[in-house]
Amino acid sequence: MSSSTESKIAMAKTVVSTIGSVAAAAMVVRSVSRDYLPSEFQDYLYFGFRSFINKFSTQLTMVIYEFEGFQENEIYIATELYLAARISPQIHRMKITKHTSEKNITVAMETNEEVTDVYNGVKFKWCLLSNKAPTREYYPNDGMIGTSRSDIRMLELTFHRKHKDLALNEYLPFILNDSKTMKQEVKSVKLFTVDPMMMHSNSPTMWAPVNLDHPSTFATLAMDTDVKEKVMKDLDRFSDVADSLR
């Protein structure tokens, strides 16, 4: 074996050994920080270590926040629905909800869980994160201003950076279209009312949705047949126009 080959093997062993040492140290730091350090300091260590690793990584991460100012992020909402149907059996934690007016149980990702999705042979890893942020709220009854903490939720999409164009031009548009189809299948009519407790706060959820459920249908509605048909046709036309404007 030539000296050049031996040198390369020695260098490779050194690199592997260094990576192993760093990984072991990271595991120890992570375990200790979870048990003894405040959550804010844990976040600081986590993001600092991740920034260091990212300098040597071929991976690219896209961050998708739930809200952009006071506006809901359409990509976040669509992805949340899309991933709910693709949760792996190996996942450890899931969020389960069911409203009294809904028939089915809703399954979603829980914070700090990961889901791997494959699109056109490319692996995309999703992770749901949540940060606590202080907010100031005004209570009109007693004129007091209080401070609370709200969740800032975000989805992180990680993949090899060479697939960036695929993610932006094909994968994310595919998720948006797929979620629209699923929404149509479970579509329910909602009324939106203002939550008086949130009117003077900085919360983006000032409007609260309420399902509009009623046992009456057009089949049971007491109305002249011709008039009923005209009303139904008008509603269908209105629905088609509304869908085309979205």
Side-chain angles (χ1 to χ4, degrees), residues 174-214:
F174 167 75
I175 291 177
L176 289 169
N177 291 330
D178 188 78
S179 66
K180 287 180 181 178
T181 302
M182 288 188 285
K183 285 179 181 179
Q184 289 296 324
E185 294 176 355
V186 294
K187 192 174 182 180
S188 62
V189 179
K190 294 181 180 291
L191 289 177
F192 284 83
T193 58
V194 176
D195 186 345
M197 293 297 296
M198 308 302 290
M199 288 182 64
H200 300 281
S201 72
N202 293 325
S203 172
T205 55
M206 183 172 63
W207 290 88
V210 178
N211 283 351
L212 180 60
D213 295 318
H214 198 281

Side-chain angles (χ1 to χ4, degrees), residues 13 16 34 47 96 100 106 113-114 120 123 149 157 175 201 205 220:
K13 289 181 178 179
V16 172
R34 280 183 173 178
F47 287 115
I96 307 296
T100 55
T106 301
E113 287 293 339
E114 295 181 353
N120 284 354
K123 285 187 178 181
R149 299 181 69 84
L157 172 61
I175 291 177
S201 72
T205 55
T220 61

